[in-house]
């Protein structure tokens, strides 16, 4: 039977309307001191597409299926949304064409102190950042994540799902079996999964949970009609053919091209763009003051943006601005020959006046020893920049630097727990 090809995408304003009206009502309730009813659905501070899609979708689900008013909050300043072009693109495909107006950012809440809400749903991370200190003790009412489980909020979180997968959006999608899922929202979740799994590439980061979720989402998304015409029948498309389907391939490519096109960003924005921060109390040092570490993931090799002292200058400035003692710069890129995946890591320890009497050289030594001994990271001395990108390190007497090449499979999801283990090791 002949089926006409339909290339016109379904446009869907349902999601945009939900977001805009939630934001307006929430901010009004905050001003009227009535925000207690609300739950904040929040992803991590790196603000990638997975975190945005997951927090938006979980807010929709909790509002519609459980009748609990829930608002997604992006853990970033409004202007930083521009640092990730793939996010803007996926949001616009989902009908959210004015995300700076329609979504809630930290910027929107900066004037309220203490933080105006105390109920949190955490997605794409599983520990509430200490900077959220509301007037009432915070309660974490839900956790859905795919990072290493820190085993918190066992008694209060429902659901509490912390399972490895390519994308957190896949876990969120699995909660939608009986809840209405508007096409725009399905497109947003599907886009996140495609970005996180290299378009569902076989033997890549996608696991069965991701493939199953992508199948479910594709058929509910704004691309659904193009899918069935490509397939030539209404038979359910299985994941392998979803990977092969033209419309999914082109969406994946579009998103990945935008994600990797960061040529408009300078070193400072590259360090900020995909950034997470951690605090540790060190059992081996007589200080109770926390040590603060930042991990920046950068999709360009060091030689292309950090050479000739840029790593040191911009790293030092960023560490000063954030109050960091440790900065790890994790690069991921494809090699010039054969396009093989590669990763480098540049580590900076910055000696500063606090905590008082702290032994930063001991800290640096423990860090180098721990990293170099780790069986998964498999670090090797960097061929070009082993001790920094300039020779005259005397310009930065406050910095200790080591740069490595590493196991190309180990992302920040692996590196962050290794760093924690090194720093929190007894004695
Ligand atoms: Mn994620």
């Amino acid at each position: 039977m002949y089926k006409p090809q339909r290339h016109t995408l379904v446009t869907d304003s349902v999601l945009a309307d939900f977001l805009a009206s939630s934001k307006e009502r929430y901010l009004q309730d905050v001003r009227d001191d009535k925000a207690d009813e609300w739950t904040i659905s929040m992803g991590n501070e790196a603000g990638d597409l997975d975190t945005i899609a997951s927090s938006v979708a979980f807010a929709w689900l909790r509002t519609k299926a459980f009748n609990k008013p829930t608002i997604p909050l992006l853990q970033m300043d409004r202007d930083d949304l521009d640092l990730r072009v793939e996010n803007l693109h996926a949001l616009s495909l989902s009908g959210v064409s004015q995300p700076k107006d329609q979504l809630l950012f930290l910027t929107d809440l900066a004037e309220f102190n203490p933080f105006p809400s105390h109920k949190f749903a955490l997605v794409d991370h599983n520990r509430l950042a200490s900077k959220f200190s509301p007037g009432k003790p915070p309660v974490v009412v839900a956790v859905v994540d795919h990072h290493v489980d820190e085993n918190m909020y066992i008694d209060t979180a429902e659901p509490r799902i912390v399972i490895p997968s390519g994308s957190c959006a896949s876990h969120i999608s699995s909660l939608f079996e009986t809840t209405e899922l508007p096409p725009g929202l399905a497109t947003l979740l599907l886009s996140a999964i495609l970005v996180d799994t290299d378009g569902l590439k076989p033997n890549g980061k996608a696991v069965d949970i991701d493939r199953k979720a992508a199948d479910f989402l594709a058929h509910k998304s704004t691309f659904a009609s193009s899918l069935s015409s490509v397939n030539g029948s209404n038979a359910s498309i299985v994941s392998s053919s979803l990977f092969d389907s033209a419309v999914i391939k082109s969406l994946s490519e579009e998103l990945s091209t935008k994600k990797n096109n960061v040529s408009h960003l300078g070193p400072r924005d590259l360090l900020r763009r995909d950034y997470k921060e951690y605090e540790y109390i060190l059992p081996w040092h007589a200080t109770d003051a926390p040590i603060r570490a930042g991990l920046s993931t950068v999709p360009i090799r060091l030689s292309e943006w950090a050479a000739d002292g840029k790593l040191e200058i911009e790293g030092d400035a960023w560490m000063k601005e954030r109050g960091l003692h440790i900065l790890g710069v994790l690069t991921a890129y494809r090699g010039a020959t054969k396009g093989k995946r590669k990763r480098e890591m540049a580590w900076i320890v910055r000696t500063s006046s606090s905590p008082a009497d702290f032994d930063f050289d001991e800290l640096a030594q423990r860090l180098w020893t721990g990293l170099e001994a780790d069986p998964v990271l498999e670090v090797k001395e960097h061929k070009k920049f082993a001790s920094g990108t300039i020779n005259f390190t005397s310009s930065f007497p406050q910095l200790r630097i080591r740069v490595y090449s590493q196991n190309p499979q180990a992302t920040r999801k692996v590196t962050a727990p290794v760093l924690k283990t090194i720093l929190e090791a007894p004695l």
Side-chain angles (χ1 to χ4, degrees):
M1 190 175 71
Y2 174 74
K3 273 175 185 280
Q5 290 247 339
R6 289 170 55 196
H7 290 294
T8 336
L9 296 180
V10 180
T11 48
D12 177 21
S13 68
V14 175
L15 180 60
D17 294 344
F18 165 76
L19 293 170
S21 80
S22 302
K23 178 175 177 177
E24 193 184 324
R25 282 185 297 125
Y26 176 73
L27 287 174
Q28 190 56 52
D29 281 351
V30 168
R31 279 183 227 109
D32 297 345
D33 213 3
K34 291 192 305 197
D36 229 34
E37 277 297 289
W38 287 87
T39 304
I40 300 277
S41 169
M42 190 166 71
N44 64 55
E45 77 267 41
D48 64 0
L49 189 54
D50 191 29
T51 246
I52 295 181
S54 296
S55 57
V56 165
F58 195 80
W60 171 278
L61 183 80
R62 192 167 155 89
T63 304
K64 303 284 175 181
F66 302 98
N67 214 7
K68 299 198 154 109
T70 304
I71 175 110
L73 168 65
L74 270 57
Q75 276 206 58
M76 61 170 86
D77 290 336
R78 191 184 298 123
D79 290 340
D80 287 355
L81 195 66
D82 296 330
L83 294 175
R84 291 173 176 271
V85 183
E86 75 279 15
N87 290 356
L88 297 171
H89 185 63
L91 283 164
S92 115
L93 291 175
S94 313
V96 184
S97 49
Q98 271 124 26
K100 289 187 179 175
D101 299 330
Q102 292 155 334
L103 289 164
L104 183 73
F105 297 86
L106 288 180
T107 320
D108 297 304
L109 299 179
E111 62 184 284
F112 304 107
N113 195 2
F115 190 79
S117 289
H118 76 290
K119 277 189 266 184
F120 295 90
L122 305 184
V123 299
D124 208 17
H125 69 314
N126 62 77
R127 176 197 282 262
L128 182 66
S130 61
K131 68 178 167 195
F132 294 99
S133 43
K136 285 186 184 178
V139 185
V140 173
V141 298
V143 176
V144 183
D145 188 23
H146 64 145
H147 293 84
V148 172
D149 194 351
E150 299 195 42
N151 294 305
M152 300 177 78
Y153 322 117
I154 305 275
D155 297 332
T156 58
E158 172 61 39
R160 191 182 184 289
I161 300 169
V162 185
I163 302 172
S165 60
S167 186
C168 178
S170 303
H171 293 317
I172 303 278
S173 308
S174 73
L175 301 171
F176 269 88
E177 266 166 22
T178 58
T179 307
E180 176 209 354
L181 178 57
L185 186 51
T187 297
L188 188 62
L189 287 164
L190 176 64
S191 301
I193 296 173
L194 295 178
V195 165
D196 279 349
T197 62
D198 296 324
L200 299 170
K201 194 169 142 202
N203 306 315
K205 288 185 191 164
V207 299
D208 280 344
I209 302 166
D210 302 300
R211 286 184 279 268
K212 200 175 152 212
D215 275 349
F216 170 75
L217 294 166
H219 288 91
K220 296 196 176 277
S221 74
T222 51
F223 298 100
S225 60
S226 324
L227 273 180
S228 37
S229 67
V230 164
N231 206 31
S233 81
N234 284 332
S236 149
I237 294 178
V238 293
S239 50
S240 58
S241 65
L242 191 63
F243 167 71
D244 289 325
S245 102
V247 63
I248 295 297
K249 266 202 163 35
S250 87
L251 175 59
S252 301
E253 266 173 41
E254 216 168 274
L255 289 165
S256 128
T257 305
K258 288 187 190 286
K259 184 179 173 186
N260 292 320
N261 184 2
V262 289
S263 53
H264 58 298
L265 301 181
R268 177 183 144 81
D269 282 342
L270 289 174
L271 293 177
R272 282 164 1 104
R273 178 183 156 278
D274 187 350
Y275 173 76
K276 288 189 184 177
E277 212 164 88
Y278 311 84
E279 280 191 347
Y280 309 100
I281 305 287
L282 312 180
W284 48 269
H285 203 290
T287 173
D288 288 337
I291 287 295
R292 185 173 292 173
L295 292 180
S296 304
T297 300
V298 178
I300 313 177
R301 62 192 303 172
L302 292 167
S303 59
E304 287 177 30
W305 65 275
D308 304 324
K310 286 196 210 78
L311 174 71
E312 288 78 1
I313 294 166
E314 299 294 339
D316 185 58
W318 180 241
M319 293 179 83
K320 200 171 161 195
E321 183 176 335
R322 302 297 309 182
L324 299 181
H325 304 100
I326 298 174
L327 174 64
V329 181
L330 316 176
T331 72
Y333 60 98
R334 290 194 182 272
T337 47
K338 295 187 193 165
K340 272 195 180 168
R341 261 184 201 292
K342 297 192 173 194
R343 286 179 190 271
E344 306 155 302
M345 39 174 53
W347 291 91
I348 307 179
V349 173
R350 185 174 191 272
T351 62
S352 70
S353 52
S354 73
D357 298 327
F358 189 81
D359 187 346
F360 287 99
D361 285 305
E362 163 80 9
L363 177 69
Q365 200 47 57
R366 279 177 177 264
L367 182 59
W368 314 146
T369 308
L371 291 169
E372 286 162 20
D374 189 80
V376 179
L377 293 181
E378 298 171 0
V379 303
K380 289 193 195 76
E381 188 172 289
H382 195 281
K383 285 193 182 127
K384 230 170 171 173
F385 302 130
S387 51
T389 70
I390 38 167
N391 287 327
F392 47 101
T393 41
S394 56
S395 336
F396 299 95
Q398 72 279 28
L399 304 184
R400 311 284 178 271
I401 300 176
R402 278 199 193 180
V403 184
Y404 304 102
S405 55
Q406 63 147 104
N407 172 3
Q409 306 299 329
T411 66
R412 184 170 54 198
K413 276 194 194 64
V414 173
T415 306
V418 169
L419 180 63
K420 181 179 164 73
T421 305
I422 294 171
L423 296 183
E424 293 183 350
L427 297 172

